[in-house]
Amino acid sequence: MGNRLTQIATRTGDAGTTGLGDNTRVSKNHLRVHAMGDVDELNSHIGVLLCEELPAGVRGLLVEVQHQLFNLGGELSIPGYELLKPEAVAALDEALAEHNAALPRLQEFILPAGNRAASQAHVCRTVARRAERAVVALGDVDAVREAPRQYLNRLSDLMFVLARVLNRMHGGDDVYWKSERLQRGAAE
């Protein structure tokens, strides 16, 4: 991996380029830089979620996710390098199965709402989807392993499930969309 930062204001990016982990320079508008930025933003939003009251198991899971997102971002910053392992995707699959098993079936679409922790989990979900789209776009023009794309896909699903878990933390529930179908069913 490239040199660790010893100073922040290097001025090397003043011309609109940035350095990758393999010491190449690319435009700050490069698809790789967009993908790295979206992953970084996702990690920051998870950091905000970690400021909320969370069950210990969820907190530990999210801290591990932050470390894996750092691996994912590092992998994106070094073309051809592997940092995110397939085991990280499998760990998300296990967490999804565990947390989803405790939830009731959905009756309808839910709104990204509820308590603050659940709402922040929904923000993380949407940023994960954007990061996934950025990684897919990068993969259309440059080689990207499948693990980063799979990880972001599973993570967005997990954030949806965790939002539902967090809404129930103190006896709350999902905030259902008031669809015409549900309104007709309630009137019958």
Side-chain angles (χ1 to χ4, degrees), residues 98-112:
E98 173 191 339
H99 289 287
N100 209 24
L103 294 170
R105 290 180 52 109
L106 285 171
Q107 303 298 314
E108 184 56 86
F109 288 107
I110 63 171
L111 299 178

Side-chain angles (χ1 to χ4, degrees), residues 49-50 52-59 62 99 103 113-122 124 158-174:
L49 178 55
L50 284 165
E52 297 294 326
E53 179 186 341
L54 302 171
V58 171
R59 179 172 300 285
L62 292 176
H99 289 287
L103 294 170
N115 64 42
R116 201 160 99 163
S119 296
Q120 181 62 31
H122 279 295
C124 293
L158 178 62
M159 296 313 298
F160 178 84
V161 168
L162 290 181
R164 296 188 70 209
V165 167
L166 294 172
N167 263 335
R168 286 167 173 71
M169 192 168 54
H170 296 294
D173 198 0
D174 297 313

Side-chain angles (χ1 to χ4, degrees), residues 5-106:
L5 290 178
T6 55
Q7 67 182 42
I8 300 303
T10 61
R11 294 175 178 76
T12 58
D14 287 352
T17 64
T18 192
L20 298 178
D22 64 358
N23 293 320
T24 60
R25 294 200 69 77
V26 297
S27 167
K28 288 185 179 186
N29 195 35
H30 191 282
L31 289 175
R32 186 170 296 279
V33 177
H34 281 283
M36 290 165 29
D38 288 344
V39 169
D40 186 34
E41 182 182 349
L42 172 58
N43 211 342
S44 296
H45 278 294
I46 290 173
V48 173
L49 178 55
L50 284 165
C51 294
E52 297 294 326
E53 179 186 341
L54 302 171
V58 171
R59 179 172 300 285
L61 174 62
L62 292 176
V63 168
E64 177 60 23
V65 164
Q66 281 197 304
H67 286 280
Q68 294 303 331
L69 286 174
F70 223 77
N71 286 337
L72 196 160
E75 183 169 322
L76 290 173
S77 77
I78 308 170
Y81 199 71
E82 178 184 339
L83 281 171
L84 183 72
K85 304 296 183 197
E87 296 81 19
V89 177
L92 290 186
D93 281 331
E94 289 173 21
L96 263 167
E98 173 191 339
H99 289 287
N100 209 24
L103 294 170
R105 290 180 52 109
L106 285 171

